[in-house]
Amino acid sequence: MNIPEELKYSKDHEWIRIENNIAHIGITDFAQSELGDIVYVELESLDEELNEGEVMGSIEAVKTVSDIFMPVSGTVIEINEELESNPEMVNSDPYTNGWLAKIEISNPDEINTLLDADGYKKLIGAK
């Protein structure tokens, strides 16, 4: 299981990488493996300001459909448009080419509530 040390994680299995006040987000390697083959990613929240925990989109896999939650509050400023034609990138490369969206963070204090890699490993029972 790939759990990069430099990222933060939500309990809803999103990862977050922060550069200045912009957060890149995606779903974790664990989440994509639990979902199975991803066939569609829906993110219609561009330019919307959403609170932590609100639904920002959904991921449809062969087995199920799962909501994507905001790991921190902010405005969705960019969506990975390549996922429209290549949603399987979330399976093959969840931490780089399979990113979902970029968020301009509105409440930086919320970052402190996210898990580090060790905390996320404990959450999913990984060693």
Side-chain angles (χ1 to χ4, degrees):
M1 188 68 50
N2 184 11
I3 303 172
E5 292 289 327
E6 69 275 14
L7 302 178
K8 294 284 196 174
Y9 301 89
S10 75
K11 291 178 181 173
D12 294 315
H13 308 288
E14 285 90 14
W15 59 261
I16 181 169
R17 182 179 64 240
I18 301 161
E19 296 174 6
N20 298 317
N21 198 39
I22 306 299
H24 300 235
I25 68 162
I27 65 167
T28 65
D29 190 28
F30 173 80
Q32 68 80 21
S33 68
E34 289 292 304
L35 287 169
D37 293 336
I38 294 170
V39 295
Y40 186 71
V41 177
E42 181 178 10
L43 293 163
E44 296 183 354
S45 52
L46 186 62
D47 297 327
E48 286 186 44
E49 185 169 346
L50 300 170
N51 293 319
E52 178 203 3
E54 286 189 294
V55 175
M56 62 177 293
S58 63
I59 291 181
E60 183 176 343
V62 172
K63 293 189 228 176
T64 187
V65 176
S66 181
D67 287 333
I68 304 165
F69 299 98
M70 290 284 284
V72 293
S73 300
T75 302
V76 180
I77 59 170
E78 186 176 344
I79 288 173
N80 186 353
E81 294 180 3
E82 286 191 46
L83 296 179
E84 192 170 308
S85 57
N86 297 306
E88 65 278 1
M89 285 194 310
V90 176
N91 289 118
S92 63
D93 197 5
Y95 296 112
T96 51
N97 292 327
W99 63 277
L100 301 175
K102 294 180 183 177
I103 301 167
E104 186 173 350
I105 299 169
S106 63
N107 185 358
D109 290 341
E110 291 174 349
I111 295 166
N112 298 325
T113 65
L114 297 170
L115 301 169
D116 62 12
D118 287 338
Y120 187 69
K121 286 175 188 173
K122 287 178 186 168
L123 178 73
I124 63 172
K127 296 183 181 180

